[in-house]
Amino acid sequence: MKKIITAALMAALVSAGAVVYAAGTPIQNRQEGDLKVDLNYGFNQKMGHHDAKSQFSGGDVTYALNDKVDIQYDNNNTKIDGGSAKVNEHAVRAIYHINPYISAFGGATRVDVKNGYRDHYYGGQVGLEGQVPIANKVTGFGSVGIGDDVNTYEIGVGYNFTDNLDAHIKYRRDDVDVNNYDDDVKGWQVGVGYKF
């Protein structure tokens, strides 16, 4: 029960601060009841052809329901450098682990856009994510998500300091297509993850 309350609290804090999206290193040695939080810092990012600010911009909160299914809240927040335009993406999704290397996911999305106006859009996204051990304590990971408002692509590598603590670096690209914004958001993110 404590883990569920902690997950709800973390999701609320993350939503309020618009800090989290885009999974980090997948949960290692996952077991029912595991709760993992990833926080990312975005750098060398772009909104279309414009530079975006280096800032906290990605991560996730993931809860392992059982040996095959996770529930995850994600948020990716990107703000243009020197201006007020921003794209803030939210997703709540279920992840089904097909095997230790491949998972399928699906869920609901919300995209908030501020670009001289403010608007938000609701949609859905489905996709696949994978992970593969590269060396002792090193894991490669990637995902592809296809949706009606956002298509997401990411690839990265993570290092597990312990079963509970990891660090990662990844490249992420989101193709956002909503009424008043049709462009990409892309760049590098570094982050840390902790499994409770």
Side-chain angles (χ1 to χ4, degrees), residues 27-46:
I27 296 176
Q28 300 300 302
N29 303 317
R30 61 184 298 286
Q31 297 177 28
E32 183 176 328
D34 281 348
L35 172 68
K36 184 167 189 257
V37 176
D38 289 292
L39 297 176
N40 294 332
Y41 184 83
F43 65 98
N44 258 1
Q45 297 195 105
K46 293 206 174 272

Side-chain angles (χ1 to χ4, degrees), residues 3 39 57 62 72 97 103 154 181-182:
K3 288 183 181 181
L39 297 176
S57 60
T62 306
Q72 187 175 71
H97 298 275
S103 303
E154 74 177 24
Y181 187 89
D182 184 3

Side-chain angles (χ1 to χ4, degrees), residues 5-75:
I5 292 169
T6 303
L9 248 142
M10 288 301 293
L13 288 172
V14 164
S15 294
V19 181
V20 178
Y21 182 80
T25 306
I27 296 176
Q28 300 300 302
N29 303 317
R30 61 184 298 286
Q31 297 177 28
E32 183 176 328
D34 281 348
L35 172 68
K36 184 167 189 257
V37 176
D38 289 292
L39 297 176
N40 294 332
Y41 184 83
F43 65 98
N44 258 1
Q45 297 195 105
K46 293 206 174 272
M47 286 180 62
H49 299 293
H50 304 283
D51 289 336
K53 287 187 175 184
S54 293
Q55 64 177 10
F56 284 106
S57 60
D60 62 65
V61 177
T62 306
Y63 181 75
L65 283 177
N66 57 45
D67 65 334
K68 288 286 189 184
V69 179
D70 295 343
I71 299 296
Q72 187 175 71
Y73 167 76
D74 301 315
N75 172 264

Side-chain angles (χ1 to χ4, degrees), residues 92-191:
V92 175
R93 61 189 190 176
I95 302 168
Y96 180 77
H97 298 275
I98 298 167
N99 62 44
Y101 307 105
I102 299 174
S103 303
F105 64 84
T109 61
R110 175 183 160 139
V111 179
D112 296 310
V113 175
K114 181 181 177 192
N115 194 15
Y117 50 84
R118 212 169 249 229
D119 215 342
H120 60 270
Y121 308 88
Y122 294 94
Q125 190 180 65
V126 296
L128 293 172
E129 57 187 24
Q131 66 173 344
V132 62
I134 297 173
N136 185 30
K137 299 188 175 192
V138 179
T139 303
F141 61 91
S143 68
V144 175
I146 307 299
D148 50 359
D149 292 333
V150 180
N151 295 331
T152 304
Y153 315 92
E154 74 177 24
I155 188 165
V157 64
Y159 181 81
N160 298 296
F161 296 103
T162 68
D163 278 350
N164 295 57
L165 179 65
D166 65 70
H168 53 268
I169 184 167
K170 66 181 178 178
Y171 183 81
R172 176 183 175 83
R173 176 183 171 130
D174 297 323
D175 293 328
V176 180
D177 184 7
V178 294
N179 292 344
N180 295 310
Y181 187 89
D182 184 3
D183 217 332
D184 58 27
V185 176
K186 59 190 173 190
W188 290 92
Q189 295 180 356
V190 293

